[in-house]
Amino acid sequence: MRAIWKGAIAFGLVNVPVKVYSATEDHDISLHQVHNADGGRIRYQRRCEVCSKIIDYSDIDKAFEDDGRTVVLSKDELKSIPAENSHEIEVVQFVPSEQLEPMMFEKSYYLEPDSKSPKAYVLLRRALEDTDRVAIVQFALREKTRLGALRIKEDVLVLQSLLWPDEVREASFPALDTSIRISAQEREMSAALVESMAADFEPERFTDDYQVQLRKLIEAKLEKGDSLDTDETFGAEAGEGGNGEVIDLMEALKRSLERKRGGGKPAASEDAGSEDAGSEDAGSGDADDADTEEGADGSGGKAPAKAGGKAAGTKTAAAKSSGTKTAATSTAVSKSTATKSTAAKSTAAKSAASKPAAKAVTTPARKGA
């Protein structure tokens, strides 16, 4: 790392010389602009609107415009501002860390001792540790007077620049002024969902997916050139949701809890109509084996009828499968089977509740097979 600034922390009458380093960096892949027709690099030029000449950076001053009047400020005039020349990080007060609004945090800097003896540096660090407080400081950096918070990260002092109070916008949304009723059940379910997702924060578990995929795209482009197929590169990934569908809040909470708990299967609907499995399903030839098995487990005198229905459904399913194979090899036999199947359905419709009728249905189908 390279130090971007040198100064001293003014801690009462104690001076702590330090070097300042940027604690964070941007990991984004750097892209530049080109002409899509020929790939030529697009560059911006500092051109004067009055003389139309391209101006060197050394010949550029800054200005402020107010009501049509322009005030030009030279580099020397800007450097003459007292705060700009200060290299002191002044501690103005010590406050509990919980009183700092996270929205005010701007950028972080590491402070390294810049003297032969780091005793004053260690003393300030120990003072922050012993009192469990954060030092509020004021300093000037890059043509701006800043407010900051001095805290500890492991054994290093960290300076976090803060936004000024008037730089944080006030949140005023009329929609939040309306009275919203939240039921006790909704609150309980949302709390249960929070608990199911509770964990310790581990930053290394998270990745910047866009940058990873951008790198993948660049590597594929280098390998395949203009013949690149982006669908092949990334695959056809169908995202869940995102269609703007408005669903019931309680239903959304239920689904979320089921997903976090391992995914609960929806309640089966085979109970309804299971009593008729031995007649209607067998006669139609479309009976589901799983449904008829669960229907046969019922209690009481209905069990024999359901067992008969299961047998009939099984025979009919076999006849249907056999008829399908025959149709694949001979069209004539397929038509004959279809005719017999139609006659079987007609017979089943006339005697829907009769056990012998179920046998009469399956017998022709087996012969046709």
PDB file of all heavy atoms in Angstrom, residues 134-169:
ATOM      1  N   VAL A 134     -15.603   5.650  20.748  1.00  0.00           N
ATOM      2  CA  VAL A 134     -15.071   6.029  19.443  1.00  0.00           C
ATOM      3  C   VAL A 134     -14.721   7.505  19.489  1.00  0.00           C
ATOM      4  O   VAL A 134     -15.472   8.319  20.053  1.00  0.00           O
ATOM      5  CB  VAL A 134     -16.114   5.763  18.328  1.00  0.00           C
ATOM      6  CG1 VAL A 134     -15.647   6.327  16.996  1.00  0.00           C
ATOM      7  CG2 VAL A 134     -16.385   4.276  18.193  1.00  0.00           C
ATOM      8  N   ALA A 135     -13.579   7.868  18.917  1.00  0.00           N
ATOM      9  CA  ALA A 135     -13.161   9.263  18.900  1.00  0.00           C
ATOM     10  C   ALA A 135     -13.731   9.960  17.667  1.00  0.00           C
ATOM     11  O   ALA A 135     -13.576   9.477  16.549  1.00  0.00           O
ATOM     12  CB  ALA A 135     -11.642   9.351  18.888  1.00  0.00           C
ATOM     13  N   ILE A 136     -14.413  11.081  17.869  1.00  0.00           N
ATOM     14  CA  ILE A 136     -14.905  11.900  16.766  1.00  0.00           C
ATOM     15  C   ILE A 136     -13.822  12.927  16.445  1.00  0.00           C
ATOM     16  O   ILE A 136     -13.344  13.639  17.341  1.00  0.00           O
ATOM     17  CB  ILE A 136     -16.224  12.610  17.131  1.00  0.00           C
ATOM     18  CG1 ILE A 136     -17.308  11.565  17.457  1.00  0.00           C
ATOM     19  CG2 ILE A 136     -16.684  13.506  15.990  1.00  0.00           C
ATOM     20  CD1 ILE A 136     -17.622  10.616  16.320  1.00  0.00           C
ATOM     21  N   VAL A 137     -13.437  12.983  15.171  1.00  0.00           N
ATOM     22  CA  VAL A 137     -12.319  13.842  14.779  1.00  0.00           C
ATOM     23  C   VAL A 137     -12.730  14.740  13.613  1.00  0.00           C
ATOM     24  O   VAL A 137     -13.710  14.483  12.922  1.00  0.00           O
ATOM     25  CB  VAL A 137     -11.085  13.000  14.371  1.00  0.00           C
ATOM     26  CG1 VAL A 137     -10.619  12.131  15.524  1.00  0.00           C
ATOM     27  CG2 VAL A 137     -11.398  12.138  13.141  1.00  0.00           C
ATOM     28  N   GLN A 138     -11.942  15.791  13.421  1.00  0.00           N
ATOM     29  CA  GLN A 138     -12.082  16.662  12.253  1.00  0.00           C
ATOM     30  C   GLN A 138     -10.724  16.756  11.565  1.00  0.00           C
ATOM     31  O   GLN A 138      -9.685  16.852  12.239  1.00  0.00           O
ATOM     32  CB  GLN A 138     -12.577  18.058  12.651  1.00  0.00           C
ATOM     33  CG  GLN A 138     -14.055  18.102  13.003  1.00  0.00           C
ATOM     34  CD  GLN A 138     -14.544  19.536  13.260  1.00  0.00           C
ATOM     35  OE1 GLN A 138     -14.032  20.232  14.122  1.00  0.00           O
ATOM     36  NE2 GLN A 138     -15.544  19.948  12.500  1.00  0.00           N
ATOM     37  N   PHE A 139     -10.738  16.715  10.227  1.00  0.00           N
ATOM     38  CA  PHE A 139      -9.485  16.791   9.473  1.00  0.00           C
ATOM     39  C   PHE A 139      -9.791  17.280   8.062  1.00  0.00           C
ATOM     40  O   PHE A 139     -10.960  17.340   7.640  1.00  0.00           O
ATOM     41  CB  PHE A 139      -8.791  15.422   9.430  1.00  0.00           C
ATOM     42  CG  PHE A 139      -9.580  14.348   8.729  1.00  0.00           C
ATOM     43  CD1 PHE A 139      -9.248  13.928   7.443  1.00  0.00           C
ATOM     44  CD2 PHE A 139     -10.661  13.725   9.355  1.00  0.00           C
ATOM     45  CE1 PHE A 139      -9.965  12.940   6.800  1.00  0.00           C
ATOM     46  CE2 PHE A 139     -11.391  12.732   8.720  1.00  0.00           C
ATOM     47  CZ  PHE A 139     -11.048  12.340   7.426  1.00  0.00           C
ATOM     48  N   ALA A 140      -8.757  17.648   7.327  1.00  0.00           N
ATOM     49  CA  ALA A 140      -8.899  18.124   5.947  1.00  0.00           C
ATOM     50  C   ALA A 140      -8.150  17.167   5.033  1.00  0.00           C
ATOM     51  O   ALA A 140      -6.996  16.795   5.306  1.00  0.00           O
ATOM     52  CB  ALA A 140      -8.344  19.529   5.800  1.00  0.00           C
ATOM     53  N   LEU A 141      -8.810  16.756   3.968  1.00  0.00           N
ATOM     54  CA  LEU A 141      -8.197  15.831   3.023  1.00  0.00           C
ATOM     55  C   LEU A 141      -8.756  16.093   1.635  1.00  0.00           C
ATOM     56  O   LEU A 141      -9.975  16.116   1.438  1.00  0.00           O
ATOM     57  CB  LEU A 141      -8.464  14.383   3.455  1.00  0.00           C
ATOM     58  CG  LEU A 141      -7.902  13.285   2.554  1.00  0.00           C
ATOM     59  CD1 LEU A 141      -6.375  13.337   2.536  1.00  0.00           C
ATOM     60  CD2 LEU A 141      -8.373  11.914   3.039  1.00  0.00           C
ATOM     61  N   ARG A 142      -7.874  16.301   0.678  1.00  0.00           N
ATOM     62  CA  ARG A 142      -8.245  16.497  -0.717  1.00  0.00           C
ATOM     63  C   ARG A 142      -9.269  17.622  -0.885  1.00  0.00           C
ATOM     64  O   ARG A 142     -10.383  17.407  -1.379  1.00  0.00           O
ATOM     65  CB  ARG A 142      -8.769  15.186  -1.310  1.00  0.00           C
ATOM     66  CG  ARG A 142      -7.686  14.125  -1.445  1.00  0.00           C
ATOM     67  CD  ARG A 142      -8.229  12.789  -1.850  1.00  0.00           C
ATOM     68  NE  ARG A 142      -7.136  11.823  -2.036  1.00  0.00           N
ATOM     69  CZ  ARG A 142      -7.318  10.510  -2.189  1.00  0.00           C
ATOM     70  NH1 ARG A 142      -8.537  10.009  -2.151  1.00  0.00           N
ATOM     71  NH2 ARG A 142      -6.283   9.713  -2.367  1.00  0.00           N
ATOM     72  N   GLU A 143      -8.871  18.783  -0.443  1.00  0.00           N
ATOM     73  CA  GLU A 143      -9.649  20.014  -0.627  1.00  0.00           C
ATOM     74  C   GLU A 143     -11.038  19.936   0.006  1.00  0.00           C
ATOM     75  O   GLU A 143     -12.015  20.473  -0.507  1.00  0.00           O
ATOM     76  CB  GLU A 143      -9.770  20.360  -2.109  1.00  0.00           C
ATOM     77  CG  GLU A 143      -8.431  20.586  -2.794  1.00  0.00           C
ATOM     78  CD  GLU A 143      -8.585  20.907  -4.258  1.00  0.00           C
ATOM     79  OE1 GLU A 143      -9.732  20.873  -4.762  1.00  0.00           O
ATOM     80  OE2 GLU A 143      -7.564  21.185  -4.920  1.00  0.00           O
ATOM     81  N   LYS A 144     -11.131  19.260   1.132  1.00  0.00           N
ATOM     82  CA  LYS A 144     -12.414  19.167   1.814  1.00  0.00           C
ATOM     83  C   LYS A 144     -12.193  18.929   3.296  1.00  0.00           C
ATOM     84  O   LYS A 144     -11.390  18.068   3.687  1.00  0.00           O
ATOM     85  CB  LYS A 144     -13.252  18.023   1.226  1.00  0.00           C
ATOM     86  CG  LYS A 144     -14.651  17.938   1.808  1.00  0.00           C
ATOM     87  CD  LYS A 144     -15.461  16.828   1.136  1.00  0.00           C
ATOM     88  CE  LYS A 144     -16.850  16.737   1.753  1.00  0.00           C
ATOM     89  NZ  LYS A 144     -17.664  15.662   1.122  1.00  0.00           N
ATOM     90  N   THR A 145     -12.870  19.734   4.117  1.00  0.00           N
ATOM     91  CA  THR A 145     -12.837  19.502   5.562  1.00  0.00           C
ATOM     92  C   THR A 145     -13.811  18.375   5.876  1.00  0.00           C
ATOM     93  O   THR A 145     -14.953  18.389   5.426  1.00  0.00           O
ATOM     94  CB  THR A 145     -13.247  20.767   6.332  1.00  0.00           C
ATOM     95  OG1 THR A 145     -12.399  21.851   5.956  1.00  0.00           O
ATOM     96  CG2 THR A 145     -13.151  20.546   7.831  1.00  0.00           C
ATOM     97  N   ARG A 146     -13.357  17.429   6.678  1.00  0.00           N
ATOM     98  CA  ARG A 146     -14.146  16.218   6.901  1.00  0.00           C
ATOM     99  C   ARG A 146     -14.375  15.953   8.383  1.00  0.00           C
ATOM    100  O   ARG A 146     -13.575  16.342   9.238  1.00  0.00           O
ATOM    101  CB  ARG A 146     -13.451  15.009   6.261  1.00  0.00           C
ATOM    102  CG  ARG A 146     -13.212  15.186   4.759  1.00  0.00           C
ATOM    103  CD  ARG A 146     -12.325  14.082   4.205  1.00  0.00           C
ATOM    104  NE  ARG A 146     -11.970  14.353   2.818  1.00  0.00           N
ATOM    105  CZ  ARG A 146     -12.615  13.875   1.765  1.00  0.00           C
ATOM    106  NH1 ARG A 146     -13.682  13.085   1.954  1.00  0.00           N
ATOM    107  NH2 ARG A 146     -12.221  14.160   0.541  1.00  0.00           N
ATOM    108  N   LEU A 147     -15.469  15.259   8.623  1.00  0.00           N
ATOM    109  CA  LEU A 147     -15.775  14.743   9.953  1.00  0.00           C
ATOM    110  C   LEU A 147     -15.432  13.261   9.923  1.00  0.00           C
ATOM    111  O   LEU A 147     -15.620  12.592   8.894  1.00  0.00           O
ATOM    112  CB  LEU A 147     -17.260  14.942  10.255  1.00  0.00           C
ATOM    113  CG  LEU A 147     -17.763  14.602  11.658  1.00  0.00           C
ATOM    114  CD1 LEU A 147     -17.156  15.569  12.681  1.00  0.00           C
ATOM    115  CD2 LEU A 147     -19.288  14.657  11.700  1.00  0.00           C
ATOM    116  N   GLY A 148     -14.895  12.732  11.024  1.00  0.00           N
ATOM    117  CA  GLY A 148     -14.490  11.332  11.013  1.00  0.00           C
ATOM    118  C   GLY A 148     -14.667  10.658  12.354  1.00  0.00           C
ATOM    119  O   GLY A 148     -14.911  11.303  13.379  1.00  0.00           O
ATOM    120  N   ALA A 149     -14.568   9.326  12.328  1.00  0.00           N
ATOM    121  CA  ALA A 149     -14.633   8.512  13.540  1.00  0.00           C
ATOM    122  C   ALA A 149     -13.372   7.664  13.617  1.00  0.00           C
ATOM    123  O   ALA A 149     -12.988   7.013  12.640  1.00  0.00           O
ATOM    124  CB  ALA A 149     -15.871   7.623  13.523  1.00  0.00           C
ATOM    125  N   LEU A 150     -12.733   7.706  14.756  1.00  0.00           N
ATOM    126  CA  LEU A 150     -11.500   6.953  14.970  1.00  0.00           C
ATOM    127  C   LEU A 150     -11.837   5.748  15.849  1.00  0.00           C
ATOM    128  O   LEU A 150     -12.318   5.899  16.969  1.00  0.00           O
ATOM    129  CB  LEU A 150     -10.466   7.851  15.666  1.00  0.00           C
ATOM    130  CG  LEU A 150      -8.996   7.472  15.543  1.00  0.00           C
ATOM    131  CD1 LEU A 150      -8.551   7.496  14.096  1.00  0.00           C
ATOM    132  CD2 LEU A 150      -8.141   8.417  16.388  1.00  0.00           C
ATOM    133  N   ARG A 151     -11.610   4.556  15.307  1.00  0.00           N
ATOM    134  CA  ARG A 151     -11.929   3.346  16.057  1.00  0.00           C
ATOM    135  C   ARG A 151     -10.812   2.322  15.875  1.00  0.00           C
ATOM    136  O   ARG A 151      -9.811   2.586  15.205  1.00  0.00           O
ATOM    137  CB  ARG A 151     -13.280   2.770  15.606  1.00  0.00           C
ATOM    138  CG  ARG A 151     -13.335   2.335  14.164  1.00  0.00           C
ATOM    139  CD  ARG A 151     -14.697   1.806  13.774  1.00  0.00           C
ATOM    140  NE  ARG A 151     -14.730   1.300  12.415  1.00  0.00           N
ATOM    141  CZ  ARG A 151     -14.354   0.089  12.058  1.00  0.00           C
ATOM    142  NH1 ARG A 151     -13.880  -0.742  12.979  1.00  0.00           N
ATOM    143  NH2 ARG A 151     -14.410  -0.299  10.804  1.00  0.00           N
ATOM    144  N   ILE A 152     -11.003   1.124  16.439  1.00  0.00           N
ATOM    145  CA  ILE A 152      -9.965   0.093  16.402  1.00  0.00           C
ATOM    146  C   ILE A 152     -10.441  -1.105  15.585  1.00  0.00           C
ATOM    147  O   ILE A 152     -11.583  -1.562  15.727  1.00  0.00           O
ATOM    148  CB  ILE A 152      -9.615  -0.385  17.828  1.00  0.00           C
ATOM    149  CG1 ILE A 152      -9.196   0.800  18.695  1.00  0.00           C
ATOM    150  CG2 ILE A 152      -8.521  -1.428  17.789  1.00  0.00           C
ATOM    151  CD1 ILE A 152      -9.109   0.452  20.159  1.00  0.00           C
ATOM    152  N   LYS A 153      -9.555  -1.603  14.718  1.00  0.00           N
ATOM    153  CA  LYS A 153      -9.787  -2.858  14.014  1.00  0.00           C
ATOM    154  C   LYS A 153      -8.571  -3.731  14.282  1.00  0.00           C
ATOM    155  O   LYS A 153      -7.485  -3.465  13.783  1.00  0.00           O
ATOM    156  CB  LYS A 153      -9.959  -2.635  12.513  1.00  0.00           C
ATOM    157  CG  LYS A 153     -10.314  -3.897  11.736  1.00  0.00           C
ATOM    158  CD  LYS A 153     -10.448  -3.603  10.252  1.00  0.00           C
ATOM    159  CE  LYS A 153     -10.962  -4.803   9.491  1.00  0.00           C
ATOM    160  NZ  LYS A 153     -10.115  -5.998   9.624  1.00  0.00           N
ATOM    161  N   GLU A 154      -8.799  -4.756  15.093  1.00  0.00           N
ATOM    162  CA  GLU A 154      -7.697  -5.581  15.590  1.00  0.00           C
ATOM    163  C   GLU A 154      -6.706  -4.682  16.326  1.00  0.00           C
ATOM    164  O   GLU A 154      -7.058  -4.092  17.322  1.00  0.00           O
ATOM    165  CB  GLU A 154      -7.057  -6.364  14.424  1.00  0.00           C
ATOM    166  CG  GLU A 154      -8.047  -7.336  13.770  1.00  0.00           C
ATOM    167  CD  GLU A 154      -7.513  -8.010  12.528  1.00  0.00           C
ATOM    168  OE1 GLU A 154      -6.417  -7.642  12.050  1.00  0.00           O
ATOM    169  OE2 GLU A 154      -8.211  -8.918  12.025  1.00  0.00           O
ATOM    170  N   ASP A 155      -5.467  -4.519  15.840  1.00  0.00           N
ATOM    171  CA  ASP A 155      -4.492  -3.671  16.544  1.00  0.00           C
ATOM    172  C   ASP A 155      -4.227  -2.370  15.806  1.00  0.00           C
ATOM    173  O   ASP A 155      -3.275  -1.648  16.135  1.00  0.00           O
ATOM    174  CB  ASP A 155      -3.161  -4.425  16.717  1.00  0.00           C
ATOM    175  CG  ASP A 155      -3.290  -5.556  17.727  1.00  0.00           C
ATOM    176  OD1 ASP A 155      -4.168  -5.459  18.600  1.00  0.00           O
ATOM    177  OD2 ASP A 155      -2.526  -6.535  17.622  1.00  0.00           O
ATOM    178  N   VAL A 156      -5.040  -2.062  14.819  1.00  0.00           N
ATOM    179  CA  VAL A 156      -4.806  -0.895  13.977  1.00  0.00           C
ATOM    180  C   VAL A 156      -5.879   0.158  14.212  1.00  0.00           C
ATOM    181  O   VAL A 156      -7.065  -0.159  14.354  1.00  0.00           O
ATOM    182  CB  VAL A 156      -4.790  -1.298  12.484  1.00  0.00           C
ATOM    183  CG1 VAL A 156      -4.548  -0.080  11.601  1.00  0.00           C
ATOM    184  CG2 VAL A 156      -3.732  -2.361  12.228  1.00  0.00           C
ATOM    185  N   LEU A 157      -5.461   1.434  14.242  1.00  0.00           N
ATOM    186  CA  LEU A 157      -6.424   2.526  14.312  1.00  0.00           C
ATOM    187  C   LEU A 157      -6.998   2.756  12.920  1.00  0.00           C
ATOM    188  O   LEU A 157      -6.254   2.816  11.930  1.00  0.00           O
ATOM    189  CB  LEU A 157      -5.752   3.811  14.806  1.00  0.00           C
ATOM    190  CG  LEU A 157      -5.333   3.844  16.282  1.00  0.00           C
ATOM    191  CD1 LEU A 157      -4.591   5.149  16.581  1.00  0.00           C
ATOM    192  CD2 LEU A 157      -6.538   3.695  17.189  1.00  0.00           C
ATOM    193  N   VAL A 158      -8.313   2.859  12.832  1.00  0.00           N
ATOM    194  CA  VAL A 158      -8.997   3.069  11.558  1.00  0.00           C
ATOM    195  C   VAL A 158      -9.734   4.395  11.620  1.00  0.00           C
ATOM    196  O   VAL A 158     -10.469   4.675  12.584  1.00  0.00           O
ATOM    197  CB  VAL A 158     -10.003   1.929  11.268  1.00  0.00           C
ATOM    198  CG1 VAL A 158     -10.785   2.224   9.990  1.00  0.00           C
ATOM    199  CG2 VAL A 158      -9.267   0.603  11.129  1.00  0.00           C
ATOM    200  N   LEU A 159      -9.518   5.221  10.608  1.00  0.00           N
ATOM    201  CA  LEU A 159     -10.218   6.498  10.476  1.00  0.00           C
ATOM    202  C   LEU A 159     -11.320   6.352   9.438  1.00  0.00           C
ATOM    203  O   LEU A 159     -11.048   6.002   8.288  1.00  0.00           O
ATOM    204  CB  LEU A 159      -9.232   7.591  10.050  1.00  0.00           C
ATOM    205  CG  LEU A 159      -9.822   8.964   9.734  1.00  0.00           C
ATOM    206  CD1 LEU A 159     -10.484   9.572  10.960  1.00  0.00           C
ATOM    207  CD2 LEU A 159      -8.752   9.892   9.176  1.00  0.00           C
ATOM    208  N   GLN A 160     -12.541   6.568   9.856  1.00  0.00           N
ATOM    209  CA  GLN A 160     -13.676   6.493   8.937  1.00  0.00           C
ATOM    210  C   GLN A 160     -14.238   7.888   8.734  1.00  0.00           C
ATOM    211  O   GLN A 160     -14.708   8.529   9.689  1.00  0.00           O
ATOM    212  CB  GLN A 160     -14.767   5.567   9.479  1.00  0.00           C
ATOM    213  CG  GLN A 160     -14.420   4.092   9.352  1.00  0.00           C
ATOM    214  CD  GLN A 160     -15.600   3.214   9.710  1.00  0.00           C
ATOM    215  OE1 GLN A 160     -15.953   3.106  10.880  1.00  0.00           O
ATOM    216  NE2 GLN A 160     -16.192   2.589   8.710  1.00  0.00           N
ATOM    217  N   SER A 161     -14.158   8.368   7.494  1.00  0.00           N
ATOM    218  CA  SER A 161     -14.741   9.682   7.217  1.00  0.00           C
ATOM    219  C   SER A 161     -16.257   9.576   7.277  1.00  0.00           C
ATOM    220  O   SER A 161     -16.837   8.562   6.886  1.00  0.00           O
ATOM    221  CB  SER A 161     -14.284  10.192   5.845  1.00  0.00           C
ATOM    222  OG  SER A 161     -14.698   9.319   4.822  1.00  0.00           O
ATOM    223  N   LEU A 162     -16.889  10.629   7.788  1.00  0.00           N
ATOM    224  CA  LEU A 162     -18.339  10.662   7.948  1.00  0.00           C
ATOM    225  C   LEU A 162     -18.944  11.765   7.086  1.00  0.00           C
ATOM    226  O   LEU A 162     -18.310  12.794   6.842  1.00  0.00           O
ATOM    227  CB  LEU A 162     -18.712  10.916   9.417  1.00  0.00           C
ATOM    228  CG  LEU A 162     -18.169   9.945  10.464  1.00  0.00           C
ATOM    229  CD1 LEU A 162     -18.544  10.427  11.867  1.00  0.00           C
ATOM    230  CD2 LEU A 162     -18.681   8.538  10.229  1.00  0.00           C
ATOM    231  N   LEU A 163     -20.146  11.540   6.636  1.00  0.00           N
ATOM    232  CA  LEU A 163     -20.876  12.599   5.947  1.00  0.00           C
ATOM    233  C   LEU A 163     -21.301  13.648   6.960  1.00  0.00           C
ATOM    234  O   LEU A 163     -21.558  13.333   8.137  1.00  0.00           O
ATOM    235  CB  LEU A 163     -22.113  12.023   5.255  1.00  0.00           C
ATOM    236  CG  LEU A 163     -21.868  11.021   4.125  1.00  0.00           C
ATOM    237  CD1 LEU A 163     -23.198  10.415   3.682  1.00  0.00           C
ATOM    238  CD2 LEU A 163     -21.179  11.672   2.948  1.00  0.00           C
ATOM    239  N   TRP A 164     -21.394  14.883   6.522  1.00  0.00           N
ATOM    240  CA  TRP A 164     -21.926  15.926   7.390  1.00  0.00           C
ATOM    241  C   TRP A 164     -23.446  15.735   7.503  1.00  0.00           C
ATOM    242  O   TRP A 164     -24.068  15.172   6.606  1.00  0.00           O
ATOM    243  CB  TRP A 164     -21.599  17.306   6.825  1.00  0.00           C
ATOM    244  CG  TRP A 164     -20.130  17.602   6.816  1.00  0.00           C
ATOM    245  CD1 TRP A 164     -19.279  17.489   5.765  1.00  0.00           C
ATOM    246  CD2 TRP A 164     -19.347  18.034   7.931  1.00  0.00           C
ATOM    247  NE1 TRP A 164     -18.005  17.835   6.138  1.00  0.00           N
ATOM    248  CE2 TRP A 164     -18.012  18.185   7.469  1.00  0.00           C
ATOM    249  CE3 TRP A 164     -19.621  18.325   9.269  1.00  0.00           C
ATOM    250  CZ2 TRP A 164     -16.967  18.589   8.288  1.00  0.00           C
ATOM    251  CZ3 TRP A 164     -18.584  18.751  10.087  1.00  0.00           C
ATOM    252  CH2 TRP A 164     -17.287  18.881   9.606  1.00  0.00           C
ATOM    253  N   PRO A 165     -24.019  16.169   8.617  1.00  0.00           N
ATOM    254  CA  PRO A 165     -25.466  15.947   8.816  1.00  0.00           C
ATOM    255  C   PRO A 165     -26.333  16.441   7.664  1.00  0.00           C
ATOM    256  O   PRO A 165     -27.336  15.789   7.313  1.00  0.00           O
ATOM    257  CB  PRO A 165     -25.760  16.723  10.103  1.00  0.00           C
ATOM    258  CG  PRO A 165     -24.467  16.744  10.840  1.00  0.00           C
ATOM    259  CD  PRO A 165     -23.396  16.827   9.793  1.00  0.00           C
ATOM    260  N   ASP A 166     -25.971  17.583   7.049  1.00  0.00           N
ATOM    261  CA  ASP A 166     -26.815  18.100   5.972  1.00  0.00           C
ATOM    262  C   ASP A 166     -26.607  17.360   4.645  1.00  0.00           C
ATOM    263  O   ASP A 166     -27.250  17.663   3.650  1.00  0.00           O
ATOM    264  CB  ASP A 166     -26.572  19.603   5.770  1.00  0.00           C
ATOM    265  CG  ASP A 166     -25.125  19.914   5.418  1.00  0.00           C
ATOM    266  OD1 ASP A 166     -24.280  18.991   5.485  1.00  0.00           O
ATOM    267  OD2 ASP A 166     -24.842  21.069   5.051  1.00  0.00           O
ATOM    268  N   GLU A 167     -25.685  16.386   4.639  1.00  0.00           N
ATOM    269  CA  GLU A 167     -25.468  15.576   3.440  1.00  0.00           C
ATOM    270  C   GLU A 167     -26.308  14.303   3.445  1.00  0.00           C
ATOM    271  O   GLU A 167     -26.347  13.570   2.456  1.00  0.00           O
ATOM    272  CB  GLU A 167     -23.986  15.215   3.301  1.00  0.00           C
ATOM    273  CG  GLU A 167     -23.091  16.408   3.011  1.00  0.00           C
ATOM    274  CD  GLU A 167     -21.631  16.020   2.886  1.00  0.00           C
ATOM    275  OE1 GLU A 167     -21.153  15.256   3.745  1.00  0.00           O
ATOM    276  OE2 GLU A 167     -20.966  16.490   1.933  1.00  0.00           O
ATOM    277  N   VAL A 168     -26.963  14.034   4.562  1.00  0.00           N
ATOM    278  CA  VAL A 168     -27.852  12.874   4.656  1.00  0.00           C
ATOM    279  C   VAL A 168     -29.284  13.351   4.450  1.00  0.00           C
ATOM    280  O   VAL A 168     -29.788  14.176   5.219  1.00  0.00           O
ATOM    281  CB  VAL A 168     -27.720  12.176   6.027  1.00  0.00           C
ATOM    282  CG1 VAL A 168     -28.669  10.983   6.106  1.00  0.00           C
ATOM    283  CG2 VAL A 168     -26.285  11.728   6.255  1.00  0.00           C
ATOM    284  N   ARG A 169     -29.918  12.852   3.424  1.00  0.00           N
ATOM    285  CA  ARG A 169     -31.271  13.293   3.103  1.00  0.00           C
ATOM    286  C   ARG A 169     -32.295  12.759   4.097  1.00  0.00           C
ATOM    287  O   ARG A 169     -32.134  11.676   4.670  1.00  0.00           O
ATOM    288  CB  ARG A 169     -31.662  12.818   1.694  1.00  0.00           C
ATOM    289  CG  ARG A 169     -30.870  13.474   0.574  1.00  0.00           C
ATOM    290  CD  ARG A 169     -31.247  12.878  -0.760  1.00  0.00           C
ATOM    291  NE  ARG A 169     -30.595  13.576  -1.863  1.00  0.00           N
ATOM    292  CZ  ARG A 169     -30.682  13.191  -3.126  1.00  0.00           C
ATOM    293  NH1 ARG A 169     -31.377  12.107  -3.437  1.00  0.00           N
ATOM    294  NH2 ARG A 169     -30.079  13.877  -4.074  1.00  0.00           N
TER     295      ARG A 169
END
